[in-house]
Amino acid sequence: MLAFDEKIPSSFLPDLSSRNHPHAWLSVTHVCRHWRETALAFPALWSIVDSDSALAALAFLDRSAASGLSVFLRDAAYGSRYSPSLERARFMQSVAHHSPRFVEMHIQPQFRYGSKILHALQHPAPQLRALSIILSLTKDEPQELPTLFSGITPKL
């Protein structure tokens, strides 16, 4: 119940800047060994990947096995302060590698490297059904979206 309550969006375009503690349900894995093993045995529990914590996001990608993914790409938020977590190219490559499993993706970086994030999304996303992109671009940056997911998003 804790894990899947997060999937209900408050609006069509979620405000990722106010999305606090995206994995609060993880506390159940600290109750006892049985609960931890049970949680680890269900890949769908790990299918919400939030870049607020890059290390946790990579662990969720692994633990989600073949489950469809809801991916939230945003910078790490600490109260009202933000830390650039999406500027790491390796992290973005790791996330992009799983694009065939993307069902939902929301991108809202707080810094001005958002267009670089989009260029990492080159692998097809045949399961993608929802996509939101909110970027702050300077007037010197291209105002058009690049081709995402090699143009292969038949369910979008």
Side-chain angles (χ1 to χ4, degrees), residues 35-104:
W35 283 29
R36 179 174 174 74
E37 290 171 358
T38 301
L40 289 171
F42 288 95
L45 284 175
W46 306 94
S47 64
I48 299 173
V49 178
D50 192 317
S51 67
D52 186 44
S53 169
L55 288 176
L58 294 175
F60 274 60
L61 287 170
D62 289 339
R63 291 177 182 165
S64 62
S67 297
L69 299 172
S70 294
V71 180
F72 296 86
L73 296 178
R74 63 183 181 138
D75 294 303
Y78 305 102
S80 61
R81 296 180 313 130
Y82 292 94
S83 174
S85 59
L86 297 176
E87 67 181 349
R88 298 183 202 115
R90 261 195 194 150
F91 172 73
M92 283 306 303
Q93 289 170 353
S94 296
V95 171
H97 176 73
H98 293 274
S99 64
R101 298 193 294 135
F102 293 174
V103 173
E104 175 181 4

Side-chain angles (χ1 to χ4, degrees), residues 7-151:
K7 285 195 165 195
I8 301 168
S10 58
S11 68
F12 180 71
L13 294 174
D15 180 8
L16 301 189
S17 62
S18 64
R19 187 174 153 80
N20 294 325
H21 309 294
H23 299 110
W25 69 269
L26 282 172
S27 61
V28 302
T29 65
H30 300 284
V31 172
C32 66
R33 181 176 42 179
H34 176 71
W35 283 29
R36 179 174 174 74
E37 290 171 358
T38 301
L40 289 171
F42 288 95
L45 284 175
W46 306 94
S47 64
I48 299 173
V49 178
D50 192 317
S51 67
D52 186 44
S53 169
L55 288 176
L58 294 175
F60 274 60
L61 287 170
D62 289 339
R63 291 177 182 165
S64 62
S67 297
L69 299 172
S70 294
V71 180
F72 296 86
L73 296 178
R74 63 183 181 138
D75 294 303
Y78 305 102
S80 61
R81 296 180 313 130
Y82 292 94
S83 174
S85 59
L86 297 176
E87 67 181 349
R88 298 183 202 115
R90 261 195 194 150
F91 172 73
M92 283 306 303
Q93 289 170 353
S94 296
V95 171
H97 176 73
H98 293 274
S99 64
R101 298 193 294 135
F102 293 174
V103 173
E104 175 181 4
M105 174 173 255
H106 303 283
I107 303 169
Q108 187 178 355
Q110 297 298 317
F111 299 97
R112 300 219 184 264
Y113 51 78
S115 59
K116 293 178 186 175
I117 294 169
L118 300 179
H119 290 290
L121 302 173
Q122 296 302 314
H123 302 288
Q127 303 303 316
L128 188 65
R129 288 183 274 151
L131 174 66
S132 67
I133 302 171
I134 301 172
L135 299 177
S136 296
L137 300 174
T138 65
K139 59 183 174 181
D140 298 332
E141 291 181 283
Q143 302 297 309
E144 298 175 3
L145 286 174
T147 300
L148 301 174
F149 308 113
S150 296

